[in-house]
């Protein structure tokens, strides 16, 4: 098996040389062809997907898991629409910035170039196969995809459409490869192909991401979890704070940019907290409060030490009343997952201090944590959100799938 | 020992929070104080350095090694001058770029922030201790330094001056820590502190760098070696090509941006190669040529397969005559170390094709490979050269010791 994996990585590397040279119009044409193939291959893709769904039901997977696995008409259509949007995004490859004339007489700039070969490792949703491949191709890379075992047949079927589109555009089919085995032992071999692979992006549960981080010799961009805080300052406007709390907690509680802990300044707590508690409870949210919160809002569950670092991904909210913004920032810095932190305030100086001093991939003033998303922040589409700081911090779009090399234009200069 | 290392990393993390908030003027004041302390502590530093030098001689280290270890007056003065230059560089922290108003009404930008905690792992030269610490501090980071065992006393002495400067500027002394043990077993423990350390930069021989890459759970920025090529195109001006070859090979043959392989187009070989061979031999360079080269230049050693990937770091040059620029680029892509690649040509289209298609941290036209250096490329000072593509590709200066977070300025916006 090691040889098969090595060969896949080697072929991806070879293909990446051709991808790096492909013009924007050829890459866009490939994506348009992909939309056509996904449309015409739809019934084949769905019949292969049905094999996975049947298998998942037989193995007793939860309804939620089966739902995420299913390529309904709606999901396939959304996948095609996503590819079309990637085709419309500007191509980052080839731009040169910061051209400067140096004292030696050379002109120096930085040119954006593809990373090379990217490995995506993910769990159940087969639509990630197409979303990720489209972004990697547009940025001029090869990609090796390793989806969940439970989506094996779906991913193999989608790979056929992807490779057909590449070939129809005279690009190498090996620019997109889905691992041809469901065997979990393939993963460590893949993570040791540092000679051929430039970046690994794992997407899924904390277990998968830890496994990848601890076993990879290739750089990894990842996020473990999103423990997002909202700090309602003494000078917050209650109605704005309320709208943001409700949106951040309730709009989609199961995602990483949903609110998990609400911090409230003591001077506004007795006004704001009863309002918020009523509305949150009406929306089905269970509160876990600090002692002070419990005394203000009768019937609130007492929070334990396990609540402050918790990523509930559910209609549960930890609530803490703090003495000052410093207390709030200390709490955030202690339990921060590097994902999204937001303050609600009308106070200019505190807003700016929060923006400057809080360490997270997105720091916000008077906005819902739910805005930490590639589309909302203007990246067009995202391949994941990085909560580690190297290379990318926050949503990763096309630009984060590239790097910059120095270019030097001389006329015979030598170093003195 | 694991607990000691963990505690050092934890203290570095705590200190990094204060460093991230330090203003540019406080950071510059620290660097100015450091210059004063290095001056006033000079005799102490040199007496501690003498212990290392004596030890090195006793253990029979080579003269070159002893030379690199010695903190002569000249080296200390250069160190101080280097710190002064870092103080004068613009501070990258706090700049916000690309502020955009999104359809939702939020303003989104990217703010440059320190990375946090950086670990530097290096070999004999103790001046790296001060150079690296100055750059890390200016970029608002904490740094943990782990120099060579043979420079143990020198590095401990330099750490005292560094910590005194931090304290005198009311910054935490733990922002610069030199590991207090010479024990080599400390390194793996350090490389597992991914909870507290954001980046590891190894500098030294290939063995050290491989060890760090294979054992680190923390992202690593590294370069293994520089196998730099110069391609002399059919349309090169011979006198320009000659000056560049001589500079790239002979100015400082022991460094990573020195030329290792010369590729020559067949149409210019019979004119250019005899000229170049004469001049190179006069400078003491030994040629290792392809068959064709050997027939053109009698007395040339025949190159073997081991010569093409070789980083000689010496007055030796591999020479190959190629049929076309495609052959040259194929050779480069096969033996490329991702460091520096240069073409000499007057042909506009081939120059641009070379710039676009060659994959290296610096790609040059009509310029010596020796220009791949932070100072020459305009970064001010460098902490190393990255030949991996994540985060930084090429010389790393202050900007590469920082990252960017998203900042969102709202007025009560929630996600639709």
């Amino acid at each position: 098996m090691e040889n098969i994996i090595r060969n896949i990585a080697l072929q991806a590397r070879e293909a990446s040389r051709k991808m790096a040279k492909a013009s924007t119009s050829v890459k866009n044409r490939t994506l348009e062809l992909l939309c056509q193939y996904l449309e015409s291959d739809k019934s084949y893709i769905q019949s292969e997907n049905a094999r996975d769904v049947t298998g998942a039901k037989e193995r007793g997977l939860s309804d939620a898991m089966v739902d995420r696995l299913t390529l309904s008409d709606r999901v396939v259509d959304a996948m095609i629409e996503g590819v079309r949007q990637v085709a419309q995004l500007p191509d980052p490859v080839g731009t040169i910035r910061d051209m400067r004339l140096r004292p030696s007489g050379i002109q120096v700039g930085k040119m954006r170039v593809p990373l090379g070969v990217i490995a995506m490792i993910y769990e159940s949703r087969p639509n990630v196969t197409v979303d990720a491949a489209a972004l990697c191709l547009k940025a001029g890379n090869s990609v090796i995809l390793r989806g969940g075992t439970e989506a094996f047949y779906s991913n193999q079927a989608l790979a056929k459409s992807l490779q057909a589109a590449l070939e129809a555009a005279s690009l190498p089919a090996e620019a997109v490869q889905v691992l041809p085995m469901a065997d979990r032992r393939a993963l460590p071999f893949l993570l040791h192909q540092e000679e051929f692979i430039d970046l690994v992006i794992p997407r899924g549960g904390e277990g998968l991401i830890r496994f990848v981080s601890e076993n990879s010799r290739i750089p990894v961009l990842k996020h473990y979890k999103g423990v997002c805080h909202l700090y309602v300052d003494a000078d917050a406007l209650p109605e704005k704070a309320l709208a943001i709390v409700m949106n951040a907690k309730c709009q989609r509680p199961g995602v990483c940019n949903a609110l998990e802990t609400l911090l409230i300044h003591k001077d506004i707590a007795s006004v704001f907290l009863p309002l918020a508690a009523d509305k949150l409870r009406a929306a089905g949210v269970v509160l876990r409060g600090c002692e002070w919160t419990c005394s203000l809002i009768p019937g609130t569950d007492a929070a334990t030490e396990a609540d402050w670092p918790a990523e509930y991904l559910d209609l549960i909210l930890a609530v803490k009343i703090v003495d000052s913004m410093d207390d709030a920032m200390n709490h955030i810095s202690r339990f921060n997952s590097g994902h999204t932190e937001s303050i609600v305030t009308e106070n200019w100086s505190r807003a700016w201090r929060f923006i400057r001093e809080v360490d997270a991939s997105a720091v916000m003033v008077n906005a819902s944590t739910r805005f930490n998303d590639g589309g909302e922040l203007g990246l067009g589409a995202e391949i994941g959100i990085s909560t580690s700081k190297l290379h990318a911090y926050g949503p990763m779009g096309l630009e984060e799938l590239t790097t910059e090399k120095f270019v030097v234009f001389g006329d015979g200069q030598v170093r003195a």
Side-chain angles (χ1 to χ4, degrees), chain A:
Chain A
M1 181 154 50
E2 192 172 357
N3 281 338
I4 297 173
I5 301 280
R6 190 183 148 84
N7 198 43
I8 287 170
L10 173 64
Q11 288 187 308
R13 167 63 76 205
E14 296 294 329
S16 76
R17 299 223 167 86
K18 290 178 186 141
M19 290 304 298
K21 287 191 262 186
S23 69
T24 304
S25 62
V26 167
K27 291 186 287 188
N28 287 346
R29 172 93 185 114
T30 309
L31 295 176
E32 283 151 23
L33 286 161
L34 174 58
C35 293
Q36 291 170 26
Y37 283 110
L38 288 172
E39 195 63 64
S40 58
D41 300 343
K42 195 168 174 177
S43 60
Y44 171 70
I45 291 166
Q46 288 180 327
S47 71
E48 290 297 296
N49 179 246
R51 295 173 69 181
D52 286 330
V53 169
T54 307
K57 285 179 180 163
E58 281 169 11
R59 286 198 306 284
L61 266 66
S62 71
D63 286 355
M65 290 282 274
V66 171
D67 187 54
R68 285 159 72 180
L69 189 57
T70 306
L71 290 174
S72 64
D73 282 356
R74 196 183 51 78
V75 172
V76 175
D77 290 349
M79 214 157 65
I80 293 170
E81 180 52 31
V83 174
R84 206 156 270 141
Q85 281 173 12
V86 172
Q88 280 155 18
L89 292 174
D91 186 345
V93 173
T95 55
I96 301 181
R97 69 174 171 103
D98 288 355
M99 280 292 281
R100 279 179 293 190
L101 183 63
R102 300 290 306 151
S104 60
I106 56 174
Q107 289 272 170
V108 179
K110 296 193 90 170
M111 179 188 265
R112 202 159 274 286
V113 292
L115 278 174
V117 180
I118 296 169
M120 274 293 295
I121 296 159
Y122 49 103
E123 289 175 338
S124 50
R125 292 179 197 273
N127 48 316
V128 172
T129 305
V130 170
D131 294 352
L135 280 165
C136 289
L137 293 181
K138 177 75 182 238
N141 299 295
S142 287
V143 63
I144 299 171
L145 298 149
R146 205 276 184 209
T149 315
E150 65 283 4
F152 182 73
Y153 294 108
S154 313
N155 290 334
Q156 296 298 323
L158 292 167
K160 285 184 188 166
S161 307
L162 279 155
Q163 296 197 328
L166 284 161
E167 283 180 336
S170 302
L171 289 174
E174 296 76 21
V176 177
Q177 295 176 85
V178 172
L179 285 204
M181 69 283 277
D183 194 326
R184 288 179 195 279
R185 287 170 301 177
L187 193 49
F189 293 125
L190 186 64
L191 297 174
H192 279 67
Q193 302 301 322
E194 71 267 32
E195 196 185 337
F196 303 122
I197 303 176
D198 297 286
L199 171 63
V200 176
I201 305 177
R203 261 174 74 171
E206 206 171 330
L208 173 76
I209 293 170
R210 276 202 197 280
F211 181 84
V212 169
S213 307
E214 289 175 8
N215 288 281
S216 182
R217 290 202 187 151
I218 306 161
V220 178
L221 283 184
K222 58 179 181 277
H223 96 256
Y224 282 124
K225 55 181 186 171
V227 182
C228 306
H229 300 80
L230 182 77
Y231 166 57
V232 178
D233 185 52
D235 287 344
L237 291 179
E239 64 275 27
K240 283 188 185 168
L242 200 56
I244 291 171
V245 169
M246 295 307 296
N247 183 257
K249 180 70 253 180
C250 305
Q251 196 203 22
R252 233 182 128 189
V255 293
C256 58
N257 59 17
L259 180 63
E260 303 293 11
T261 299
L262 178 64
L263 302 167
I264 305 174
H265 191 280
K266 64 175 165 37
D267 292 352
I268 202 173
S270 59
V271 174
F272 177 71
L273 196 48
L275 286 173
D278 273 359
K279 212 163 171 190
L280 284 161
R281 281 177 173 170
V285 177
V286 174
L287 304 183
R288 305 246 176 105
C290 66
E291 214 173 312
W292 200 341
T293 302
C294 292
S295 75
L296 267 178
I297 310 293
T300 303
D301 294 347
T304 68
E305 281 308 303
D307 283 295
W308 309 124
E311 184 190 34
Y312 301 117
L313 298 173
D314 202 350
L315 289 174
I316 305 171
L317 182 64
V319 184
K320 188 178 182 182
I321 298 173
V322 294
D323 282 331
S324 63
M325 184 165 94
D326 278 295
D327 278 358
M329 296 205 307
N330 286 337
H331 180 97
I332 289 171
S333 121
R334 184 159 166 215
F335 297 107
N336 184 356
S337 58
H339 201 290
T340 313
E341 305 296 337
S342 186
I343 183 175
V344 186
T345 189
E346 294 298 311
N347 183 286
W348 177 265
S349 303
R350 285 200 290 278
W352 271 103
R353 207 184 134 209
F354 192 89
I355 282 281
R356 272 198 304 266
E357 295 186 9
V358 172
D359 179 17
S361 82
V363 185
M364 307 184 171
V365 176
N366 295 327
S368 169
T369 55
R370 293 273 298 117
F371 283 112
N372 193 358
D373 166 272
E376 294 295 331
L377 297 181
L379 277 63
E382 70 176 41
I383 199 161
I385 294 183
S386 167
T387 59
S388 44
K389 295 184 183 175
L390 262 280
H391 189 73
Y393 197 23
M396 294 182 282
L398 283 179
E399 196 167 287
E400 288 69 29
L401 297 175
T402 62
T403 188
E404 288 179 312
K405 67 182 178 188
F406 284 91
V407 290
V408 173
F409 302 152
D411 189 28
Q413 281 80 3
V414 298
R415 191 157 160 193

